[in-house]
Amino acid sequence: MTADIIKVSRNTEHAPVSPFSTQSVAFSHYNNLSAQLPVNPKTGALVLGDVKVQAEQCLTNIKAIVESVGHGMYDVVRVNVYLKNIQNIDAVNEVYSSFFHGYCPTRTVLSVSALPLEGALVQMDAVLSNGEGTYPQAACDLVKVARNTVDAPVCLLSTQTVAFSHYNHLSAQLPIDPATGNIVVGGAKEQAAQCLKNLKAILESIDAPYDDIVKINIHVRNLADIDAVNEAYDTFLPDSAIARAVGYMPARSVLVADGLPMNALVQIDATVSHGDGTPPQAVEDRHGIVIRANDSKNAPSHALSTQTVAFSHYNNISAQLPIDPIAGAIVSVGAKEQTMQCLNNVKAIVESVGHVMDDIVKVNIQIKNIDDLNVINDVYASYFEGALPARTVVGVSDLPMGALVQIDAIVSNGEGTPPSSN
């Protein structure tokens, strides 16, 4: 690993252990948790029962990991829920609400074409606050700040934005008009615009501009709609004159969902820089906090995203397709070779900002054919020398450019960005 802040990778026997990921990877003031399937850690088998039973097991596994590192469910700042069938959302919500009392983290819900265990109906991952920090940062009682605004849709099971340390995490925004509570009329372009308006309303409610976004995740029901989504996207970013002058775009990932809540065509969530921090961190002038956006010629570039955006003690990396950056085309071979190309692109980006693959704390993998996972795993582990990052894997019905696999990542950034330091 590079720099001085130490990554802490931990497993507990009270949750399922995987040879291809670590349950919890702590760095700076966050813990990144691997996706939890509905597996009983004592038997190693899928629990018997319906989606409610499975959702309870996923959350029980998350709770076991959270408690194993000295935290409670109140310390969770984000949860991602991946369903096999979006129609099961109400049943999952019944269980979900029983694990959070008086506070709900930010949340994203979608259905995917496959999960990495036959018979699994649901999978969940999480991000956890880590007030004690990692060496050499001193432990302190950092305060989590959860906020809603009436100018964006309000949900009883999630908070619109949860700030902790130097990041704000925003719940996925559906194309809901907050005045009516209904999905807006129109196609993917109009729906994307409403999602982005809702994000903007949340940002304005916490006095943050659009250009403070460091990572955006876009979920579309139909990949053919991405051009329409991009038309709307391009009108919101860059937002300020300064950002337009340098052409700043956040890191970005696009995922095809089999279903979205309320039968929406698109939903968007975001991670936002939070220069003022949360108590007891000192309030800094927002303009004194630096966001470092970087592209490398050794990885594919995209007009609507930056390869890596560093802020405070994390680097956020855009989803990488298996594109040969020299040829500008997908490598025309199988899942093994395409995975290698995705990871080579991630590696090139990581190294371009002075880091190594073992600085990665979380990896997200989307696979066109979930049966390719074993082949992908054979390649994956060879890119790391130390403990493997936390990881989430889902199967998707489609990927851009006909790819078989796509990978994004979050990387520790020990040197920080001004005025933060290591």
Side-chain angles (χ1 to χ4, degrees):
M1 281 183 59
T2 56
D4 294 326
I5 293 183
I6 305 301
K7 189 174 73 175
V8 180
S9 303
R10 291 172 285 196
N11 286 324
T12 172
E13 62 182 9
H14 300 299
V17 177
S18 168
F20 299 105
S21 65
T22 303
Q23 291 169 354
S24 169
V25 180
F27 179 78
S28 186
H29 285 125
Y30 280 96
N31 271 293
N32 302 269
L33 272 57
S34 286
Q36 295 302 302
L37 287 159
V39 171
N40 183 326
K42 293 181 179 178
T43 65
L46 184 75
V47 294
L48 299 176
D50 62 9
V51 71
K52 290 177 71 173
V53 173
Q54 290 198 11
E56 183 173 12
Q57 186 64 57
C58 291
L59 286 160
T60 298
N61 291 342
I62 287 174
K63 187 170 185 280
I65 297 168
V66 168
E67 293 178 347
S68 75
V69 296
H71 286 265
M73 292 297 276
Y74 184 80
D75 292 324
V76 175
V77 296
R78 169 176 286 284
V79 174
N80 295 306
V81 180
Y82 302 94
L83 297 165
K84 272 287 285 150
N85 186 340
I86 198 66
Q87 299 302 319
N88 285 331
I89 188 171
D90 289 339
V92 170
N93 283 345
E94 284 184 49
V95 177
Y96 187 88
S97 62
S98 69
F99 280 78
F100 299 98
H101 305 283
Y103 156 78
C104 284
T106 61
R107 191 172 79 152
T108 295
V109 179
L110 65 155
S111 68
V112 292
S113 67
L115 293 170
L117 179 63
E118 187 174 353
L121 302 174
V122 60
Q123 172 179 261
M124 302 183 200
D125 65 20
V127 178
L128 174 70
S129 62
N130 185 41
E132 63 271 23
T134 54
Y135 180 84
Q137 289 183 329
C140 57
D141 295 326
L142 288 169
V143 177
K144 194 166 74 267
V145 181
R147 290 171 286 195
N148 284 326
T149 172
V150 295
D151 296 322
V154 176
C155 176
L156 293 177
L157 292 177
S158 64
T159 304
Q160 290 170 355
T161 174
V162 176
F164 179 76
S165 186
H166 282 129
Y167 276 94
N168 270 292
H169 301 265
L170 272 59
S171 285
Q173 293 303 300
L174 289 162
I176 297 171
D177 180 340
T180 66
N182 297 322
I183 297 285
V184 295
V185 176
K189 180 179 178 180
E190 291 76 16
Q191 290 199 14
Q194 186 63 52
C195 293
L196 291 161
K197 286 177 186 175
N198 292 341
L199 287 175
K200 187 164 189 172
I202 296 168
L203 289 170
E204 290 177 345
S205 75
I206 59 174
D207 197 28
Y210 231 79
D211 293 315
D212 279 356
I213 295 174
V214 295
K215 175 72 191 296
I216 280 187
N217 297 304
I218 299 174
H219 304 136
V220 293
R221 289 264 307 282
N222 187 338
L223 188 59
D225 284 338
I226 195 60
D227 287 341
V229 170
N230 285 341
E231 283 185 49
Y233 190 83
D234 202 27
T235 65
F236 282 81
L237 288 156
D239 184 49
S240 67
I242 294 173
R244 286 192 294 272
V246 297
Y248 172 70
M249 285 288 190
R252 190 174 88 154
S253 294
V254 175
L255 186 152
V256 176
D258 270 34
L260 293 170
M262 299 182 69
N263 205 32
L265 300 176
V266 59
Q267 81 174 357
I268 304 175
D269 66 33
T271 304
V272 182
S273 62
H274 182 51
D276 42 329
T278 53
Q281 291 181 331
V283 174
E284 304 281 0
D285 179 354
R286 184 180 65 78
H287 297 288
I289 301 276
V290 175
I291 294 175
R292 284 205 180 104
N294 186 73
D295 281 330
S296 167
K297 67 180 186 305
N298 296 321
S301 59
H302 193 287
L304 294 179
S305 65
T306 302
Q307 290 170 357
T308 176
V309 178
F311 176 76
S312 187
H313 286 125
Y314 278 94
N315 273 289
N316 304 270
I317 296 184
S318 289
Q320 295 301 301
L321 290 162
I323 297 172
D324 180 330
I326 297 174
I330 297 283
V331 291
S332 56
V333 277
K336 177 180 178 180
E337 293 79 8
Q338 290 202 9
T339 302
M340 291 175 66
Q341 187 63 59
C342 290
L343 288 165
N344 285 342
N345 291 341
V346 170
K347 187 170 185 283
I349 295 167
V350 168
E351 291 179 348
S352 75
V353 292
H355 284 265
V356 297
M357 291 293 279
D358 282 323
D359 289 340
I360 293 176
V361 296
K362 177 71 191 294
V363 170
N364 298 299
I365 303 177
Q366 296 93 48
I367 309 172
K368 181 78 178 294
N369 184 349
I370 202 69
D371 291 336
D372 286 334
L373 183 55
N374 288 336
V375 172
I376 289 169
N377 283 338
D378 288 342
V379 174
Y380 180 80
S382 67
Y383 280 77
F384 303 92
E385 295 180 3
L388 293 172
R391 191 175 81 159
T392 295
V393 176
V394 295
V396 293
S397 59
D398 205 357
L399 283 169
M401 300 179 69
L404 301 176
V405 61
Q406 174 176 263
I407 301 175
D408 68 27
I410 301 171
V411 185
S412 60
N413 184 40
E415 62 272 23
T417 56
S420 298
S421 67
N422 59 354

